[in-house]
Amino acid sequence: MVGYGFMGKAHSNAYLKVNRFFPELARRPVLKCLCARNADKARAFADVWGYESVETDWRRLVERRDIDVVDIGSPNDTHRDIAVAAAASGKWVLCEKPLARDVAEAEEMVAAVERAGVPNMVWYNYRRVPAISLARQLVNEGRIGRPFHYRATYLQDWTISADVPQGGATLWRLDVDVAGSGVTGDLLAHSIDTAMWLNGPIVRVVADAETFVKERVHQETGKPRPVGIDDACAFLARFANGSMGTFESTRYARGRKNYNTFELNGADGSLHFDLEDPQYLDFFEYRRPDGGKVEDHLTGWRRVHVTNFEHPYMDRWWVPGCTIGYEHTFVNALADFLAGAESGSAAQPDFRCALQTQKVCDAVLQSARAGAWVDAPTVIGVE
Amino acid sequence: MVGYGFMGKAHSNAYLKVNRFFPELARRPVLKCLCARNADKARAFADVWGYESVETDWRRLVERRDIDVVDIGSPNDTHRDIAVAAAASGKWVLCEKPLARDVAEAEEMVAAVERAGVPNMVWYNYRRVPAISLARQLVNEGRIGRPFHYRATYLQDWTISADVPQGGATLWRLDVDVAGSGVTGDLLAHSIDTAMWLNGPIVRVVADAETFVKERVHQETGKPRPVGIDDACAFLARFANGSMGTFESTRYARGRKNYNTFELNGADGSLHFDLEDPQYLDFFEYRRPDGGKVEDHLTGWRRVHVTNFEHPYMDRWWVPGCTIGYEHTFVNALADFLAGAESGSAAQPDFRCALQTQKVCDAVLQSARAGAWVDAPTVIGVE
Amino acid sequence: MVGYGFMGKAHSNAYLKVNRFFPELARRPVLKCLCARNADKARAFADVWGYESVETDWRRLVERRDIDVVDIGSPNDTHRDIAVAAAASGKWVLCEKPLARDVAEAEEMVAAVERAGVPNMVWYNYRRVPAISLARQLVNEGRIGRPFHYRATYLQDWTISADVPQGGATLWRLDVDVAGSGVTGDLLAHSIDTAMWLNGPIVRVVADAETFVKERVHQETGKPRPVGIDDACAFLARFANGSMGTFESTRYARGRKNYNTFELNGADGSLHFDLEDPQYLDFFEYRRPDGGKVEDHLTGWRRVHVTNFEHPYMDRWWVPGCTIGYEHTFVNALADFLAGAESGSAAQPDFRCALQTQKVCDAVLQSARAGAWVDAPTVIGVE
Amino acid sequence: MVGYGFMGKAHSNAYLKVNRFFPELARRPVLKCLCARNADKARAFADVWGYESVETDWRRLVERRDIDVVDIGSPNDTHRDIAVAAAASGKWVLCEKPLARDVAEAEEMVAAVERAGVPNMVWYNYRRVPAISLARQLVNEGRIGRPFHYRATYLQDWTISADVPQGGATLWRLDVDVAGSGVTGDLLAHSIDTAMWLNGPIVRVVADAETFVKERVHQETGKPRPVGIDDACAFLARFANGSMGTFESTRYARGRKNYNTFELNGADGSLHFDLEDPQYLDFFEYRRPDGGKVEDHLTGWRRVHVTNFEHPYMDRWWVPGCTIGYEHTFVNALADFLAGAESGSAAQPDFRCALQTQKVCDAVLQSARAGAWVDAPTVIGVE
């Protein structure tokens, strides 16, 4: 495990729990080593979570023979080097999203894992929110029909104050050199991954981005520095299936904390989701797959409380009506990764799949700079 | 029209609109006379609403030959005398709810209209909220199955302050001599009427009532007087069909303004309604009338926006998605009354039907006094 | 009154009710004449609503000396000619939205009413939804602070079927020659009017539009004809105050019937509204106008049930907790128009104000055609 | 740990996690032994969760010197004997709710732990839903004012089918001999514990209970047997502070899966909670503790997303906007228990506190049998 931050904690928790709730898995993760630059903090974190050892240089981690899997939870500017080296040494590689700071880095990483032939996955954990997995299932069951519209927002409000600094261990997401971009890589990447999983490839975009706070103190130097990230970014899109998309992301939407929503409208039905109420998938049924129409006086948005045993992953957790939360998306994802690695069928999104999301992100940023529509090239080999 | 208060306004508006939205009705109400004790206020109200004349004594109104219908919108203590006299002179009689202050008065009124054979109706207007009419339709379609539970609340918060006086033209609802009771006659009567319309007769009850503010100034005398009404009343009930009921009403529920809700749970489905969101009926479908079960991963509460042309009354108003409001329940009720009077099939609830609600109200108040279960006698001749 | 369609009914109802609920108004509308091409239908409509006479040619209507106000509720292609003629003959002019099919027509209309100096208003009725008026009030009270984002959707689903024809008396909104545009003039115009009322001028846009169903039978000829309107249109915008906007409108969002929503995010607070639940304004308060912050453990979206006497217009209607609906927006607007005409201070939006909305609509359509950002020119003289 | 059922899993997960998320705790639970009658299943469960050993007789567990804490997660009919023996041997005792099958058993248990002077707690885990803890905090801050009403429901729907058997390892909750009662001990006990935590002692009740399905097959014998439990139970209550209570619980409310709700109405504010949406506490603020009233046009129910760092327990989990779920209530409770045992201030509810809930449960069942009001005696020594 590389990194002890927010993601280090979320991933460690997943390793701790996965075999308890997915006991059929043959593989049982062992927490061999926690790797981070700050030795004291790494040691403290390793103690709490039960890591056997600590490294302060990821190069040493990658070289170790007793380690089979490297999980990259450190800032974006470290993803490429660690992943490429880990793959080269034959280790399985898990990587936090976004895959990289840009397409060039991401392509190197895809090449590395494919050359090495190692199992790999990017932690787009929200696919494993049971309600989102259910959305995918309903699409696959043909309940939506011809799609017309997809709209997504990912709204937060934690950077409104100009007093929030940038950089350092906890605020590197505001430092463009480390993060690569702002909300585009951090939030829109999630929205895009979900959108393409549910509605297929995005083929072109036109975007608008803004940096509302132009200067922030850097945590390490204590000095003001221009802000290089996008604080907010919205774009219009076209999907390969002809439907229209609207996407918006910001950290300046007062009152929205983790408001990651999507809505898909098709001729036969619609879906709506909001990550602040992750236990629900809203479903409007107009025509059933057998062709029958819902009676006109009974139509309505149905709020499915996604906690039945029949819902994705929910037979592993508690009983109907009992919710799970944020952390469980990582456990579900890890279980899928381990099962996929065992069976030889890679859990998605792997690096190649995540590269496609990266390409859309780059197109969005390019469009925002150019003020024009930009095509999003397709990655060969992604379903 | 007797009374120019809140109900005088709501009823007058219904007379003004009914033929515009229900143009097929043969009868066209003419606003002949507004009757109220205060001549100046009556005149002013008559001018605004277009009444042709004014009377200050309802006895004169009842005697007039040019008047065919008497609508009683004055305080509860006037209902019996006016209704009995109006029926005796052969007029159609409409009466605000509750029918009377108690069963004894109500029985006189039923006898009077039945002796005279005149069309009569009590303004339990909420039956004509389209969502509540739809609830009745779904019950009739067999979508709920064997009923287990019915729960209703009617919560308001406007009398919490001890500074609110009692009595007089606007606050007679707090004066027990005029109103007969507090929330039981004012609010629970609505809940009971709806409950029995949807779930059949209530056969026994156990109640608890409270007067939180023990003394209030009387508006007319300016002097403090003990408060005789029930400020809050809750009761448990059994329906003739064996299902269990819970009812609660108060004017001390901070934040609830007109929170008139019900929920009906049956083996095959459930319904939920809230008058503060009157455009919705929530429906949980478990088993369809054809016996088919909803698939387990698709079950959920469906929020039906009751504004389709196929919904009760909604073909008369605007277009799907456009809401109607409080006042339209009176127009819908009046249209049903006029249509019923024309066709000879009485619109419900007529006086006899409302007597049944009165009997449950009296049983509730008696139970609260006695601290024991009380049977609610059935009125012969109510479906 | 010109037109007996949906808008003819909504406006007639407003004339009928306005003096009853706003009795202080000196002007009392008299329904002199209903004008429509089909004499039989016009006569029938006039009978139901109490119009004194009928005309089948609007030119005759405009010439009549006994008529003081002309209200244009007929299809968009008639707006300009009637408005220009009516203004020229000194009549007050009310016009349904959108003001015209395009900016050129709209400018002629503005010139006509300003030359004649007659009171004029465009029926952007949603400004008079009490919750939207309250939104404006909260903005004016300084509760939102520096604005960052405005997002609006206006979603419907009634044209998804390719079997819906275009043209004729009821479906002219699908016929580009009559309507001028599709959802842009019909739905986005509302969204834009509200947005600029709450958040100031829009200065540039980039749009994407689509026609999903390429051909529909024309009602009058019975023959298929290409569809010229935009079925769906989305755009990104910048406001003069620097905030970012996203707008989307469609008639292909299954399950959305009249889903006209907006959200405004500012540094100190946020607002959200949905026309399917028009009784609510959602308000997130972060910092009060006195500078005080809401305590961190108490922050949350507050769902204001806009039915208190202290809310805009609500002292005119019923009592707290009782909702009003779609039709009341027209009554409120008419009351403001009459009061404004009496006092000499024009109710908004007048023709000039509506021209600004028209300019944004035209910029949106131009951008969609060009695939590029387009500036929206400002109308001089609009606040 | 005694028991490997649903509760065995929930508690084991808490032991696994507590030191990771509450690293300051000096005590670090070690999973020494899993005890259950079925040796094979016990062994399998122990393997998954990492228990060091297995016992099939709780008497042996209690005798073991290497065990400091006994956690009773087995069916209700085993609680007393295990708890009494464990306390006698000086072990700390944790017990699933309800404390016992009836007051007599519960009193023995209280006497045993108090005689032994050992730390003890009952797993009324819902107190540690952050939103419910926040409710308690708001009450303590004086934000509710004089309380008038408390209403609670706990509705489920999993036993509607008459085909569900009773008894055995998984359905002992339907077997009165094992469970003691039906929904009263299982669901109402939770509602009562929460109610008294938030609103003080309940002093008298009147109840109505029903068994809808009169006979069910017993899982062990395969033969039909009368059902002895209450399928549904509702009661009216009075609190010591004079406020009125309504409580209802059932397993026959179609569409409600774990619908554990409460609402508290006071003169100055109201609270509402629903366990199916556990991330929210709804708060209506009327008057602030400083005496200031919320402005009339700003009043509304505020939906607090209880995921801020300032909310109870939430600084231990993820970041604002990220939800936790059902299992975390057990971790939070365990952390409080360990902290309390360390500091010498017992975490609530301890056995004595849970005895008070048991007394109300018994009074409810007695009232349902007798058809009369019954007093709920107070336990001396509970705050």
Side-chain angles (χ1 to χ4, degrees), chain D residues 227-247:
Chain D
V227 174
I229 59 158
D230 43 306
D231 280 345
C233 183
F235 69 95
L236 308 179
R238 285 296 180 116
F239 289 84
N241 62 23
S243 63
M244 303 172 74
T246 65
F247 293 78

Side-chain angles (χ1 to χ4, degrees), chain B residues 20-250:
Chain B
R20 271 75 188 202
F21 292 90
F22 296 82
E24 76 285 6
L25 291 171
R27 309 277 183 176
R28 302 178 76 90
V30 181
L31 300 180
K32 300 298 290 184
C33 180
L34 189 281
C35 175
R37 272 172 296 186
N38 183 315
D40 289 346
K41 290 190 177 168
R43 172 73 50 204
F45 185 89
D47 283 351
V48 167
W49 286 94
Y51 284 89
E52 296 177 4
S53 63
V54 160
E55 298 284 356
T56 56
D57 183 341
W58 61 262
R59 288 169 194 82
R60 295 220 30 189
L61 182 82
V62 167
E63 286 164 7
R64 279 175 57 169
R65 293 289 172 87
D66 62 333
I67 285 177
D68 301 313
V69 184
V70 171
D71 183 359
I72 307 168
S74 44
N76 298 351
D77 60 340
T78 66
H79 288 192
R80 181 194 43 190
D81 292 350
I82 303 177
V84 168
S89 70
K91 296 184 181 359
W92 299 9
V93 191
L94 292 153
C95 186
E96 248 307 303
K97 49 64 54 183
L99 182 54
R101 285 179 297 181
D102 56 35
V103 168
E105 286 186 347
E107 284 180 335
E108 284 185 61
M109 296 166 77
V110 172
V113 294
E114 295 192 348
R115 197 179 313 121
V118 292
N120 56 90
M121 187 177 75
V122 181
W123 289 96
Y124 279 107
N125 58 305
Y126 292 141
R127 289 193 183 193
R128 269 74 183 197
V129 174
I132 298 185
S133 295
L134 178 61
R136 164 89 172 189
Q137 179 183 336
L138 298 190
V139 169
N140 288 349
E141 289 172 2
R143 294 181 186 278
I144 306 308
R146 176 185 170 189
F148 295 116
H149 294 285
Y150 189 93
R151 67 189 63 83
T153 66
Y154 202 145
L155 312 181
Q156 300 184 337
D157 70 357
W158 59 282
T159 66
I160 294 178
S161 168
D163 297 338
V164 175
Q166 61 174 309
T170 56
L171 290 164
W172 58 263
R173 284 178 180 82
L174 304 191
D175 179 343
V176 71
D177 294 336
V178 179
S181 71
V183 295
T184 299
D186 189 26
L187 305 181
L188 282 178
H190 272 304
S191 296
I192 293 165
D193 175 70
T194 302
M196 297 202 295
W197 195 45
L198 297 178
N199 198 37
I202 289 172
V203 292
R204 64 176 185 279
V205 299
V206 64
D208 187 23
E210 183 58 273
T211 304
F212 289 116
V213 173
K214 307 294 188 193
E215 200 176 68
R216 292 183 186 274
V217 167
H218 198 280
Q219 270 203 326
E220 283 166 355
T221 66
K223 295 194 185 140
R225 218 165 68 169
V227 174
I229 59 158
D230 42 308
D231 281 345
C233 183
F235 69 94
L236 309 179
R238 285 297 179 115
F239 289 84
N241 63 23
S243 62
M244 303 171 75
T246 65
F247 293 79
E248 186 186 5
S249 183
T250 184

Side-chain angles (χ1 to χ4, degrees), chain B residues 17 257 277 280 305 327, chain C residues 17 257 277 280 305 327:
Chain B
K17 293 175 76 166
K257 292 193 285 189
D277 297 349
Y280 288 107
H305 200 264
E327 65 176 70
Chain C
K17 293 175 77 167
K257 293 193 286 191
D277 298 347
Y280 288 107
H305 199 264
E327 67 177 68

